[in-house]
């Protein structure tokens, strides 16, 4: 929560430096007379229990509310390492001054982002960030948000702004779409990488802060309709460019110069003509090492933002040239008509600077020592005095650095800014320089403190004054709380027709040398009636003192007019336009083009430009919903574990924390117009059971107030009957005023009703889906049954047709077999023909074989399996005249078993293919070998196989 040097946190608590509570109370009462004796008893009672003071997360719970009690609570919380405390609408952030890594981790970010009610968690800067983020999401209505981070220099504004940016880059980058996630991560990286560059070129180490912002910036984080981070833009205000050539005592130049000296490589040092041990006039306190001297981090950020290596080389050569130029010193010439002299060492530095800036060395030397005056159409060259030469040298360095910084800002915006059509809302983070008060204060401090006055006035106008005036106009019973209004101080600085700024501008536009005493006399004459300005008449130094809201500041007038003029000789601009450095040439060519196209007066002073830019910023702030974070600096030395009461109480009084707590504790921070209230919360009545009230959410403006009152009465009677309604909500004339508790309750009830409605819708939808699925399933079942039955019928019909064809074919085959068998068994003609061949009766007689009766089954081998024939009394084999050989083959085919060795037939035809018997023998069996229909007989079938299939058919009786 601090700037880069301020990342520090406290350890042990502070014990009031040995001061007792009574002594401290007396001291505060002495410095604050308004604290009367009637409150002393309450204060003593409250401060008695010191062990419980650190438990007050919100200072509105403190009773009584006064500087003493508020200060003691903050000190007690600081002592236990609790650095954030709510103060009504404002978050008070105490700078710990040492690292607290667990306080800003990604897990902590997710914890606050995912919490249903972040306000119920411990106070944290992430609560303010999440509240702004949810407002953009449309809790009431999507409005652009602004986070105003204010405080003194060193209070931790830069670190707080960095934490806010990191928070949004984390929570606004969650996406389930891979492509979108890659885009968001790339955008988030670039947005975060803009910080190291801006801080390197715009921050410096001061006596109050090691990382003090020397410019103001307003960062717009651009969100799309899904609240994803799609881009960002940066607006800067008043860079303190005088620091380039003039550093106050015990302070340093901008960080980037020290980063180059300490972090660059040897090759880079050789290119920049910078030795490691070289001393530069414009780099004081270079031996001091701070955390911000990280050159590698700056270069990496440049690479991620798209700055090429060649462009980086050009940038660093320009910066090195500025440093070399600072070592150039001039000595007065004896002859006033001759330019100032340069010693040999200064000439060498000048040559180095010209080489790095890539401009002609002779022309650079002439521009620094000789000025050109216009006399009509003629130009007159006049040598400059020693002081004028130094001023021109400083002016050249300042204008180069300022234009380089402006180019960087434009490049960063072009790299991270999204197209206008890609984003619809933004969250702005304002980080400006804190209130400053040094030993010597000049125009820079006047502008810085003026900016802080404007921000304080915005807070006063938006909250302390406008809110109370609205209470009164809306008819609330309200006692006005007094507060410190700084409008008179703003009138002194920027008022019209006469103010400090207007008189400065008038003096700057006069074509004459400025005189500090003359300006002081005029200021005293014209502004003496304003109580916020004063002079020390005993001082010999021209000055004026302004009573700011944060304290009195003494400003020196000497040199203020010249700084306001900010003159840049045209010959210097012409010289830079001739540079061979592409970046330097581009910057000043564009600047000249812009100057030629700009209308209006040619002389625009510094305060006028700053005032205009600040007014544009205030317009943006007024158009957004502001959130305030007050950074408090516990001690002026930036030391951890140190709590200076006087330092803190001054800051609390300056920013009006006590008044803010009073108004927040007694007021209603949330204000909603009637129409918006009815549109958002009218459903609470519609969905409430056992309520007879009738409320029309679309009623006209005449009756809307009555409907709002009815709605509030229903809600209060139904849900909050135990609380006092007047403490939670008030119905005004045009708006409803709510406390945060009441708003949270309404949101919870609304969320419950929406959840119930969503549940009912889901139930109906699921019931409809289930009925639809059941109908579809039933219909599909019917269709499937019909299709299956059709397929079965089709298959059965096919089977029937196939069975008929098989049966017909089988019947034909069976008939054919039967006819063939009958022909083989009963064809007498064939027997006659064969018998006719055997003419010899003897042979015929011998050919008849009579076998004795066989009791065992006769085995016949045939195809496809063996057939067991029943026993027959005799087997008669009739042989034809073809001879005895066929008879032997037939006998062999029968494979008759021998009995008692009476007979055995074995021939060489035993292994040949034989025919089989076609029928059961019941008498004589005729065996025909030649014309059997079984062409392939099994030679040795299984004797035990059953008779099935076609063999069963073949065993039918044929006789």
């Amino acid at each position: 929560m601090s700037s880069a040097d301020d990342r520090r946190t406290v350890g042990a608590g502070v014990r009031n430096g040995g001061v007792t509570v009574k002594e401290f109370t007396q001291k505060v009462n002495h410095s604050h007379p308004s604290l009367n004796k009637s409150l002393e008893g309450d204060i003593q009672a409250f401060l008695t229990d010191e062990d419980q003071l650190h438990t007050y997360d919100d200072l509105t719970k403190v009773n009584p509310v006064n500087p003493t009690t508020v200060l003691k609570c903050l000190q007690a919380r600081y002592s236990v390492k609790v650095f954030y405390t709510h103060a009504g609408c404002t978050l008070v952030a105490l700078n710990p001054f040492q690292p607290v890594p667990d306080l800003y981790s990604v897990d902590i970010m997710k914890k606050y982002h995912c919490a249903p009610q972040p306000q119920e968690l411990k106070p944290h800067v992430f609560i303010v960030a999440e509240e702004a983020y949810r407002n953009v999401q449309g809790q009431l209505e999507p409005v652009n948000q602004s986070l105003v981070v204010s405080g003194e220099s060193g209070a931790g504004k830069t670190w707080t702004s960095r934490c806010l940016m990191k928070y949004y880059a984390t929570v606004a980058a969650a996406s389930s779409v891979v492509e979108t996630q890659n885009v968001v991560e790339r955008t988030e990286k670039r947005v975060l990488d803009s910080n190291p560059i801006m801080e390197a070129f715009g921050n410096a180490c001061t006596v109050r802060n090691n990382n003090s912002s020397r410019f103001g910036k307003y960062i717009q984080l651009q969100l799309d309709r899904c609240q994803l981070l799609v881009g960002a833009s940066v607006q800067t205000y008043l860079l303190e460019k005088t620091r380039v050539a003039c550093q106050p005592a015990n302070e340093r130049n901008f960080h980037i110069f020290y980063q180059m000296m300490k972090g660059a490589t040897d090759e880079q040092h050789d290119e920049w003509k910078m030795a490691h041990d070289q001393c530069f006039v414009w780099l004081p306190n270079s031996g001091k090492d701070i955390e911000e001297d990280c050159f590698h981090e700056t270069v990496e950020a440049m690479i991620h933002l798209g700055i090429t290596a060649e462009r980086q080389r050009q940038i660093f050569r320009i910066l090195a040239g500025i440093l070399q130029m600072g070592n150039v010193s001039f000595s007065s010439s004896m002859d006033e008509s001759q330019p100032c002299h340069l010693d040999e060492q200064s000439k060498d530095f000048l040559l180095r600077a010209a080489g790095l800036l890539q401009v002609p060395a002779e022309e650079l030397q002439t521009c620094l020592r000789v000025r050109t005056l216009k006399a009509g159409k003629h130009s007159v060259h006049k040598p400059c005095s020693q002081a004028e030469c130094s001023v021109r040298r400083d002016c050249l360095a300042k204008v180069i650095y300022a234009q380089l910084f402006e180019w960087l800002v434009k490049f960063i915006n072009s790299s991270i800014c999204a197209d206008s059509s890609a984003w619809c809302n933004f969250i702005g983070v304002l980080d400006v320089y804190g209130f400053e008060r040094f030993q010597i204060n000049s125009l820079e401090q006047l502008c810085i403190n003026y900016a802080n006055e404007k921000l304080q006035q915005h807070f006063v106008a938006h909250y302390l004054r406008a809110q109370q005036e609205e209470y009164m106009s809306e008819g609330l019973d309200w006692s006005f709380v007094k507060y410190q209004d700084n409008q008179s101080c703003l009138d002194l600085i920027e008022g019209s027709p006469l103010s400090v700024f207007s008189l400065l501008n008038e003096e700057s536009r006069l074509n004459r040398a400025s005189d500090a005493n003359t300006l002081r006399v005029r200021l005293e004459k014209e502004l003496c009636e304003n109580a916020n300005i004063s002079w020390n008449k005993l001082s010999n130094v021209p000055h004026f003192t302004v009573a700011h809201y944060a304290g009195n500041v003494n400003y020196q007038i000497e040199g203020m007019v010249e700084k306001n003029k900010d003159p840049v000789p045209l010959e210097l601009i012409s010289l830079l336009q001739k540079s061979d450095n592409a970046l330097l040439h581009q910057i000043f060519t564009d600047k000249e083009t812009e100057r030629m196209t700009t209308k209006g007066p040619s002389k625009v002073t510094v305060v006028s430009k700053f005032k205009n830019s600040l007014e544009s910023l205030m317009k943006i702030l007024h158009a957004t919903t502001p959130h305030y974070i007050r950074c408090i600096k516990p001690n002026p030395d930036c030391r951890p574990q140190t709590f200076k009461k006087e330092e803190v109480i001054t800051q609390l009084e300056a920013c009006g924390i006590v008044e803010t707590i009073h108004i927040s504790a007694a007021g209603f921070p949330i204000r909603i117009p009637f129409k918006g209230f009815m549109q958002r919360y009218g459903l609470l009545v519609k969905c409430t059971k056992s309520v007879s009230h009738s409320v029309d959410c679309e009623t006209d403006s005449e009756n809307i107030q009555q409907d709002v009152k009815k709605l509030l009465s229903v809600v209060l009677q139904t849900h909050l009957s135990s609380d006092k309604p007047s403490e939670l909500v008030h119905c005004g004339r045009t708006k409803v005023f709510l406390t945060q508790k009441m708003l949270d309750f309404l949101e919870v009830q609304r969320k419950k009703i929406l959840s119930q409605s969503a549940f009912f819708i889901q139930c109906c939808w699921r019931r409809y889906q289930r009925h639809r699925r059941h109908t579809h399933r039933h219909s599909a079942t019917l269709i499937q049954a019909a299709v299956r039955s059709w397929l079965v019928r089709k298959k059965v019909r096919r089977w029937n047709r196939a069975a008929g064809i098989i049966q017909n074919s089988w019947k034909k085959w069976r008939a054919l077999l039967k006819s063939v068998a009958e022909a083989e068994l009963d064809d007498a003609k064939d027997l006659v023909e064969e018998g006719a061949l055997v003419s010899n009766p003897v042979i015929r007689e011998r050919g008849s074989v009579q076998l004795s009766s066989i009791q065992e089954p006769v085995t016949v081998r045939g195809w496809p399996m063996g057939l067991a024939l029943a026993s027959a009394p005799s087997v008669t084999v009739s042989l034809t005249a073809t001879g005895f050989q066929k008879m032997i083959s037939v006998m062999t085919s029968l494979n008759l078993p021998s009995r008692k060795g009476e007979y055995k037939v074995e021939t060489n035809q035993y292994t040949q293919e034989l025919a089989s018997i076609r029928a059961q023998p019941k008498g004589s069996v005729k065996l025909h070998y030649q014309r059997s229909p079984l062409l392939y007989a099994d030679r040795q079938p299984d004797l035990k196989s059953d008779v099935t299939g076609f063999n069963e058919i073949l065993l039918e009786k044929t006789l």
Side-chain angles (χ1 to χ4, degrees), residues 579-596:
S579 173
D580 293 332
N581 186 304
L583 177 59
L584 199 60
H585 176 77
Q586 174 189 342
I587 289 174
F588 285 93
T589 302
D590 295 343
K591 179 178 176 62
E592 180 65 19
T593 304
E594 182 181 353
R595 188 183 67 83
M596 295 297 294

Side-chain angles (χ1 to χ4, degrees), residues 807-872:
Q807 289 176 355
N808 293 334
S809 300
W810 172 245
K811 289 177 181 178
K812 292 179 181 179
W813 177 250
R814 183 177 177 184
L816 178 61
L817 290 180
K818 185 176 181 180
S819 62
V820 172
E822 290 178 351
E824 288 182 349
L825 297 175
D826 302 328
D827 193 357
K829 181 179 179 180
D830 184 67
L831 294 176
V832 171
E833 292 177 356
E834 292 183 358
L837 296 176
V838 185
S839 60
N840 192 341
V842 178
I843 296 174
R844 292 183 62 182
E845 181 65 23
R846 292 179 179 177
S848 299
V849 180
Q850 182 70 35
L851 299 177
S852 61
S853 176
I854 302 173
Q855 298 299 327
E856 291 83 6
V858 178
T859 301
V860 179
R861 299 189 180 276
W863 182 86
M865 60 185 60
L867 303 177
L869 300 180
S871 60

Side-chain angles (χ1 to χ4, degrees), residues 642-904:
T642 305
F643 190 93
K644 296 290 186 180
K645 299 180 292 296
E646 295 81 2
E647 181 83 8
V648 175
I649 196 67
T650 302
Q651 299 175 61
L652 294 178
E653 288 179 341
C655 59
I657 288 293
V658 177
E659 293 84 355
T660 302
I661 297 171
H662 275 297
I663 297 175
S664 300
F668 302 91
I670 293 91
R671 302 173 294 279
I672 309 174
F674 285 156
K675 185 175 181 180
F677 185 81
M678 292 299 298
Q679 289 177 350
R680 187 166 185 83
Y681 301 112
L683 54 86
L684 297 180
V685 176
K686 291 183 178 181
C687 300
T688 302
K689 298 180 180 180
S690 66
V691 175
S692 60
H693 295 78
S694 176
V695 178
D696 185 8
C697 296
E698 303 295 333
T699 184
D700 54 11
S701 58
E702 296 180 358
N703 301 324
I704 191 169
Q705 185 177 13
Q706 299 298 326
D707 291 335
V708 169
K709 291 182 178 179
K710 291 181 180 179
L711 190 153
L712 291 175
S713 64
V714 170
V715 173
L716 293 173
Q717 291 175 7
T718 307
H719 304 287
L720 294 173
S721 58
S722 60
D723 293 337
K724 295 181 180 180
S726 60
E727 297 179 356
L728 300 175
V729 62
H730 182 84
C731 184
R733 295 187 177 94
T734 61
K735 296 179 180 179
V736 179
F737 294 84
L738 305 169
T739 61
Q740 186 65 44
K741 178 180 178 181
M742 186 65 184
L743 178 66
D744 294 340
F745 170 76
L746 291 176
E747 286 297 322
V748 170
Q749 295 301 317
R750 182 176 181 270
K751 188 177 294 185
K752 286 182 180 179
I753 292 176
L754 291 179
S755 299
Q756 292 176 358
S757 302
F759 177 74
F760 293 151
I761 294 173
Q762 290 173 354
C763 290
C764 294
W765 174 250
R766 288 171 180 169
R767 183 168 57 249
Y768 165 74
Q769 290 282 70
R770 185 170 183 177
H771 176 71
R772 185 180 178 185
R773 285 195 298 268
H774 177 73
T775 304
H776 288 176
R777 188 180 295 110
H778 182 66
S779 302
T781 302
L782 294 178
I783 294 173
Q784 291 173 356
V787 171
R788 286 169 181 163
S789 62
W790 176 77
L791 291 175
V792 169
R793 288 194 299 271
K794 181 179 179 181
K795 186 179 293 186
V796 169
R797 286 195 298 269
R798 183 178 179 185
W799 286 351
N800 290 336
R801 288 195 301 270
I805 293 172
I806 292 173
Q807 289 176 355
N808 293 334
S809 300
W810 172 245
K811 289 177 181 178
K812 292 179 181 179
W813 177 250
R814 183 177 177 184
L816 178 61
L817 290 180
K818 185 176 181 180
S819 62
V820 172
E822 290 178 351
E824 288 182 349
L825 297 175
D826 302 328
D827 193 357
K829 181 179 179 180
D830 184 67
L831 294 176
V832 171
E833 292 177 356
E834 292 183 358
L837 296 176
V838 185
S839 60
N840 192 341
V842 178
I843 296 174
R844 292 183 62 182
E845 181 65 23
R846 292 179 179 177
S848 299
V849 180
Q850 182 70 35
L851 299 177
S852 61
S853 176
I854 302 173
Q855 298 299 327
E856 291 83 6
V858 178
T859 301
V860 179
R861 299 189 180 276
W863 182 86
M865 60 185 60
L867 303 177
L869 300 180
S871 60
S874 62
V875 178
T876 303
V877 180
S878 299
L879 298 176
T880 60
T882 55
F884 182 73
Q885 185 177 2
K886 289 186 178 182
M887 184 270 295
I888 295 300
S889 297
V890 173
M891 296 300 292
T892 303
S893 69
L894 295 179
N895 194 18
L896 300 177
S898 63
R899 183 173 56 187
K900 298 180 182 181
E902 292 182 0
Y903 56 85
K904 182 178 182 181

Side-chain angles (χ1 to χ4, degrees), residues 467-481 662-663 665-668 725-733 735 737:
Q467 187 164 320
Q468 294 191 90
E469 290 176 352
E470 189 175 22
Y471 290 162
M472 302 291 290
S473 63
E474 289 286 338
L476 274 72
D477 186 11
W478 180 261
S479 58
F480 210 81
V481 177
H662 275 297
I663 297 175
F668 302 91
S726 60
E727 297 179 356
L728 300 175
V729 62
H730 182 84
C731 184
R733 295 187 177 94
K735 296 179 180 179
F737 294 84

Side-chain angles (χ1 to χ4, degrees), residues 214-264:
R214 308 319 300 164
F215 71 105
K217 64 176 178 290
Y218 182 71
I219 304 173
Q220 286 187 349
L221 302 175
Q222 300 161 347
L223 306 175
D224 61 6
R225 297 186 182 277
C226 299
Q227 282 73 52
L228 294 179
L229 182 65
V230 295
S233 65
V234 182
Q235 302 176 26
T236 59
Y237 307 95
L238 189 66
L239 174 70
E240 189 190 18
K241 60 183 179 181
T242 57
R243 183 170 291 269
V244 176
C246 180
Q247 303 79 35
N250 300 321
E251 295 191 1
R252 301 203 317 176
N253 210 324
F254 292 103
H255 292 323
I256 185 62
F257 295 112
Y258 299 91
Q259 292 178 2
M260 292 171 59
M261 285 293 296
K262 298 178 181 180

